[in-house]
Amino acid sequence: MTNDSALPPPAPSRREFLNAAGAVATAVAAAGLPAAADRRVRYAIVGPGHRGSGMWGAEALKRHGATLDLVALCDVNPKRAEAANGLMGTKAPVFTDLDRMLAEARPDRIAVTTVDATHSGVIVKALDRGVDVVTEKPMVTEVDQLKAILDAERRTGRKVAMAFNYRYSPKNELIWQLLRSSGLGKVTSVDFSWYLDVVHGADYFRRWHRLRSRGGSLWLHKASHHFDLVNWWLGADPVEVSAFSALRRYGRNGSVRGTHCRECPHKGSCEFFFDLTKDARLMALYAGAAGADGYLRDGCVFREDCDIWDTMNAVVSYSNGTQMSYSLNAFLPIEGFRIAFNCERGRIEVRDWERQGWEVPYETEILVARSFQKEPERMTLQKREGGHSGGDPRLLDAVFGKDPVAEQLRVPDSRAGAMSCLTGIAARTSSEKGTKVRIADLARAAGLEA
């Protein structure tokens, strides 16, 4: 294999933005280490729900507890934070007021795992207090939120690191490497389909994600992951987006409905019945804490207030001339994705999906087909240990570890977060208005030149 197909690096943004926000791409900044290497990092979790208390809590402390001091948990629901303490085996002080937590706990770094639409408010307050931030995707759900974060980074010199764990899955890193070493030439187009099944996909419609005002729709909460992967794989920025969206299976499409599964009169016959009582962890974090805020983790997928979509398609153009056809469907019998990179001298195709209950071992299949060559090269990868196909533990090591990481695995910065979010916002806007949306127009409104 040769390297003549190596892709160019991403087009840089304006110098002012890179100077203020791009420094997070260095190994030390990615690790988030304090200047004094002989002391432990004071660490707090804002939003210690399932993800926050799991990956950013128990798993982070298991892997990096020797260098981390969990000094606080902050949540609008104190019962949930206390439940998180119990599940993690910690005794971190619990706060319901972010300002008070920042002032009294004095963290060096926080992990933000709150409701998506609240990320920016948490991030800006932390930056203004001199605290570094690692945030779950999507970084924001609206353009004005993005502007607030970028302004805060410039104003304070602090950094936001993006938790794009999909980059850290070994299979996705292999795709990145193949695109640069297979000798197939430039990528001319991408066919990308993401499948959410009737278990995982339905879950988004049970939870707060069903409301566009909370999660920005799956164009942001879910697809921003995928858009970041494509930006990273191609080494390019999105330029223009045209999209269509529909709600075909959930929400008002149901013939019967209730408030939540545990007390629903239709639970004996509903295909989407979800028995929360079988999951002790979710019961502790949500059912046990519901008295404080009324949040229903097992909400009905057919609630009429659902205003997001379950069927989504987009066409995206990129700064290197590549075009992508993308789709996301949230009620399928399979879970995973297919992607194909059509190149000047061949094609790389990836199949990565499974179905719960199938008597078939989960695996990832990659085909590298060369023009004028009879047989493609085939690679089969087995499922890796650790959340998100081995991505979660590798991300934790990149964020909290002291060892340097490969260039392509340095923790993404706020610009990467911005580009993935702007693609999702553009797709959502295109769906709503029926027009093409240019990324540069959104970026300019956020104070970022694409």
Side-chain angles (χ1 to χ4, degrees), residues 84-135:
N85 257 332
L87 291 168
M88 294 187 294
T90 56
K91 296 181 179 179
V94 168
F95 295 84
T96 57
D97 182 270
L98 179 63
D99 290 312
R100 183 182 169 197
M101 186 276 284
L102 293 171
E104 295 183 12
R106 297 177 292 105
D108 299 310
R109 162 165 278 188
I110 64 169
V112 179
T113 57
T114 60
V115 169
D116 298 344
T118 67
H119 285 180
S120 62
V122 175
I123 291 169
V124 169
K125 282 191 175 184
L127 295 177
D128 281 336
R129 288 273 188 171
V131 177
D132 286 330
V133 175
V134 56
T135 182

Side-chain angles (χ1 to χ4, degrees), residues 409-423:
L409 294 180
R410 290 179 177 175
V411 179
D413 61 10
S414 57
R415 186 177 190 278
M419 285 302 168
S420 67
C421 288
L422 290 179
T423 312

Side-chain angles (χ1 to χ4, degrees), residues 85-384:
N85 257 332
L87 291 168
M88 294 187 294
T90 56
K91 296 181 179 179
V94 168
F95 295 84
T96 57
D97 182 270
L98 179 63
D99 290 312
R100 183 182 169 197
M101 186 276 284
L102 293 171
E104 295 183 12
R106 297 177 292 105
D108 299 310
R109 162 165 278 188
I110 64 169
V112 179
T113 57
T114 60
V115 169
D116 298 344
T118 67
H119 285 180
S120 62
V122 175
I123 291 169
V124 169
K125 282 191 175 184
L127 295 177
D128 281 336
R129 288 273 188 171
V131 177
D132 286 330
V133 175
V134 56
T135 182
E136 276 288 343
K137 56 75 195 168
M139 185 171 70
V140 299
T141 60
E142 304 292 344
V143 171
D144 61 339
Q145 297 171 359
L146 174 57
K147 185 176 189 304
I149 290 174
L150 300 183
D151 286 347
E153 282 192 322
R154 296 186 184 104
R155 181 171 65 246
T156 66
R158 311 308 296 185
K159 310 170 184 67
V160 176
M162 283 303 307
F164 283 133
N165 50 1
Y166 279 10
R167 291 192 185 194
Y168 291 84
S169 172
K171 63 189 176 189
N172 292 330
E173 186 186 6
L174 176 59
I175 294 169
W176 185 93
Q177 292 168 344
L178 287 172
L179 288 168
R180 287 152 176 79
S181 63
S182 62
L184 296 181
K186 296 179 180 179
V187 178
T188 58
S189 66
V190 178
D191 306 320
F192 195 179
S193 297
W194 199 276
Y195 316 122
L196 294 172
D197 67 15
V198 289
V199 178
H200 184 202
D203 232 16
Y204 293 111
F205 296 84
R206 294 187 181 100
R207 308 183 308 217
W208 53 262
H209 306 81
R210 77 187 188 283
L211 301 175
R212 210 176 305 177
S213 63
R214 305 288 274 165
S217 82
L218 294 182
W219 281 122
L220 274 298
H221 182 79
K222 191 64 183 174
S224 64
H225 248 331
H226 313 150
F227 296 143
D228 175 70
L229 275 178
V230 175
N231 296 345
W232 177 60
W233 278 330
L234 296 180
D237 288 338
V239 173
E240 188 173 74
V241 181
S242 179
F244 298 90
S245 308
L247 181 63
R248 296 292 179 85
R249 188 69 175 90
Y250 304 111
R252 292 186 174 89
N253 292 293
S255 58
V256 297
R257 58 184 48 84
T259 57
H260 62 295
C261 289
R262 276 167 292 154
E263 298 182 8
C264 183
H266 308 289
K267 63 184 179 182
S269 58
C270 180
E271 294 176 303
F272 288 97
F273 171 66
F274 171 57
D275 192 351
L276 188 71
T277 64
K278 290 185 177 180
D279 191 319
R281 178 179 175 79
L282 295 184
M283 285 293 291
L285 286 169
Y286 299 105
D293 60 9
Y295 177 60
L296 299 173
R297 175 59 179 76
D298 59 342
C300 179
V301 300
F302 298 123
R303 279 178 290 186
E304 293 186 343
D305 63 353
C306 173
D307 64 355
I308 66 168
W309 306 286
D310 55 25
T311 305
M312 300 144 59
N313 292 269
V315 175
V316 184
S317 63
Y318 291 88
S319 56
N320 63 354
T322 302
Q323 303 168 14
M324 177 177 70
S325 175
Y326 171 86
S327 68
L328 186 152
N329 291 273
F331 49 86
L332 298 183
I334 57 175
E335 175 85 12
F337 69 94
R338 277 184 181 269
I339 191 166
F341 300 88
N342 301 306
C343 307
E344 293 173 313
R345 295 188 286 277
R347 171 181 167 100
I348 298 174
E349 184 171 336
V350 183
R351 180 193 64 81
D352 185 282
W353 53 264
E354 62 182 327
R355 177 174 177 174
Q356 294 190 12
W358 276 8
E359 297 293 328
V360 179
Y362 173 85
E363 62 183 25
T364 301
E365 183 181 44
I366 301 177
L367 279 70
V368 180
R370 303 177 188 281
S371 301
F372 310 109
Q373 182 174 306
K374 291 183 178 180
E375 294 294 328
E377 302 169 28
R378 295 178 181 270
M379 307 174 199
T380 300
L381 309 176
Q382 299 304 313
K383 190 171 185 177
R384 295 287 292 264

Side-chain angles (χ1 to χ4, degrees), residues 13-47:
S13 67
R14 62 180 177 176
R15 182 174 302 173
E16 178 187 356
F17 179 79
L18 282 177
N19 288 341
V24 76
T26 67
V28 172
L33 299 174
D38 59 343
R39 73 172 178 89
R40 293 151 67 94
V41 176
R42 298 178 61 82
Y43 174 58
I45 303 170
V46 184

